[in-house]
């Protein structure tokens, strides 16, 4: 099931360089949604359950953000510089893209947290407290 549409990406776009090819936008939306389903295998069940009223809207927001990052920086550059001229004035402009994978189709930590779910869904590591319920040793200082 598709959550977002090309219109969602285009309507949310800020600036003059709006993507004109909605088929290409739809291709990247499908990739983003597959990545979300792979990261959160039960996310559609959670949407269908209706216990999280904002979940579907959050998914659309995350898909739009992911696709926008790809279209704004398709080469994956960390920094881009250029010279701007306006009449007698000129200057240099530098843009720095953040994140671990600028321009890549990836979920940020904030987006993963927004989509939530149990830790088993996120693929995060876990720990076990080996001393849970420990009351002291039968041998040692407590014993003496």
């Amino acid at each position: 099931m598709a959550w977002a549409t090309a219109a969602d990406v285009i309507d949310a776009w800020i600036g003059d360089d709006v993507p004109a090819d909605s088929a290409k936008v739809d291709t990247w939306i499908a990739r983003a949604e597959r990545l979300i389903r792979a990261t959160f295998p039960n996310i559609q069940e959670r949407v269908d359950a209706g216990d999280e009223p904002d979940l579907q809207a959050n998914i659309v927001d995350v898909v739009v953000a992911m696709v926008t990052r790809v279209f704004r920086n398709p080469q994956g550059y960390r920094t881009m510089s250029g010279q701007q001229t306006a009449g007698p004035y000129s200057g240099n402009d530098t843009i720095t893209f953040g994140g671990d994978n600028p321009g890549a189709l990836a979920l940020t930590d904030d987006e993963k947290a927004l989509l939530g779910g149990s830790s088993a869904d996120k693929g995060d590591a876990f720990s076990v407290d080996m001393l849970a319920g420990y009351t002291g040793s039968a041998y040692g200082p407590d014993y003496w």
Side-chain angles (χ1 to χ4, degrees):
M1 174 182 174
W3 295 301
T5 65
D8 293 324
V9 173
I10 292 168
D11 291 345
W13 199 268
I14 297 173
D16 297 330
D17 54 344
V18 179
D21 187 351
S22 14
K24 190 169 282 193
V25 174
D26 282 331
T27 298
W28 283 97
I29 286 172
R31 289 177 179 175
E33 290 181 353
R34 282 194 302 271
L35 179 61
I36 289 171
R37 280 194 286 287
T39 305
F40 301 98
N42 71 340
I43 197 159
Q44 186 59 53
E45 295 167 15
R46 291 173 45 214
V47 169
D48 294 341
D51 296 333
E52 303 169 69
D54 293 332
L55 181 58
Q56 187 159 350
N58 288 342
I59 294 169
V60 172
D61 291 345
V62 169
V63 169
V64 167
M66 292 169 68
V67 172
T68 299
R69 282 194 297 271
V70 170
F71 276 80
R72 291 228 184 260
N73 187 9
Q75 292 83 14
Y77 294 135
R78 173 71 62 194
T79 303
M80 294 190 314
S81 296
Q83 186 163 357
Q84 295 180 340
T85 304
Y89 303 102
S90 66
N92 292 325
D93 189 22
T94 301
I95 300 171
T96 301
F97 295 97
D100 294 333
N101 302 304
L105 189 68
L107 286 160
T108 66
D109 290 340
D110 289 340
E111 291 164 348
K112 288 179 185 176
L114 184 64
L115 298 181
S118 69
S119 60
D121 293 338
K122 294 187 263 182
D124 292 344
F126 63 93
S127 63
V128 176
D129 185 1
M130 300 301 285
L131 298 176
Y134 174 75
T135 58
S137 172
Y139 302 101
D142 294 336
Y143 181 73
W144 300 328

